[in-house]
Amino acid sequence: MTQWLDPVEQRAWQAIVALMTRIPGALDTRLQRESGLTHFEFRVLSLLSEEAGHRLQLSDLAHKANASLSRLSHVVSKLERLGWARRDTTAGRRGVYAVLTDEGFEKVIEAAPGYVDAVRRLVLDGLTEKQTAHMAVLGETLSDRLNRILVEDGD
């Protein structure tokens, strides 16, 4: 038998749903207007920019970006068409790598200030330092649990 959410659980869940649905759209709108990128495209470029050699195996990049390999592959194809990324294989190694081009690195540098401003305005400026630290712990705890469950379920 299903155990329904109690009032506090319902409030917590509704708050998470509101954040999950509103923040990505708000970030997409700002990034599209200022840099011609979606939030997910910026995330992929940003993750590559943080890696040694600006390269990462597609499967690892998908994991870090919290995306399916299929979704990531579509985005990398778009980034390739724009000249911001390319695919590469390394002799003797399995898998395909996504590599950030110099133009892609410049795009990340160009888009980052607007992205950080949006994150601060939409989320962090409304919190105290203590609340931000609590949110970090809660987010990491929920993310770790979600990852474990998805691995167990084969998703």
Side-chain angles (χ1 to χ4, degrees):
M1 183 157 146
T2 299
Q3 180 180 349
W4 300 109
L5 301 178
D6 68 34
V8 173
E9 291 170 329
Q10 184 70 14
R11 275 184 56 219
W13 177 242
Q14 291 302 322
I16 289 171
V17 169
L19 292 172
M20 288 186 327
T21 55
R22 298 196 70 201
I23 290 174
L27 288 171
D28 275 347
T29 298
R30 172 115 187 224
L31 283 167
Q32 284 277 357
R33 183 178 62 240
E34 294 181 0
S35 302
L37 291 168
T38 66
H39 179 237
F40 186 67
E41 292 163 355
F42 175 80
R43 177 88 173 128
V44 169
L45 293 172
S46 179
L47 287 168
L48 288 172
S49 77
E50 296 168 359
E51 292 295 321
H54 296 169
R55 62 187 290 117
L56 195 59
Q57 194 168 22
L58 285 179
S59 58
D60 293 335
L61 182 56
H63 177 74
K64 285 187 173 201
N66 297 308
S68 68
L69 195 51
S70 174
R71 179 179 185 204
L72 179 69
S73 183
H74 286 292
V75 167
V76 170
S77 292
K78 179 181 178 183
L79 297 175
E80 282 181 299
R81 286 190 304 275
L82 294 168
W84 298 335
R86 63 181 170 78
R87 291 174 206 254
D88 191 22
T89 56
T90 302
R93 291 201 163 170
R94 295 186 62 206
V96 176
Y97 288 77
V99 181
L100 187 66
T101 64
D102 291 342
E103 294 82 8
F105 188 73
E106 289 173 16
K107 191 65 173 176
V108 171
I109 300 285
E110 170 197 315
Y115 177 77
V116 171
D117 288 347
V119 168
R120 287 193 179 287
R121 185 164 184 255
L122 295 169
V123 180
L124 300 175
D125 286 348
L127 302 173
T128 65
E129 283 185 37
K130 188 173 182 178
Q131 288 171 324
T132 300
H134 284 295
M135 186 173 69
V137 170
L138 289 172
E140 291 163 353
T141 300
L142 290 169
S143 183
D144 290 346
R145 177 175 166 75
L146 178 62
N147 287 337
R148 282 194 310 276
I149 289 171
L150 294 176
V151 167
E152 291 170 5
D153 291 351
D155 292 339

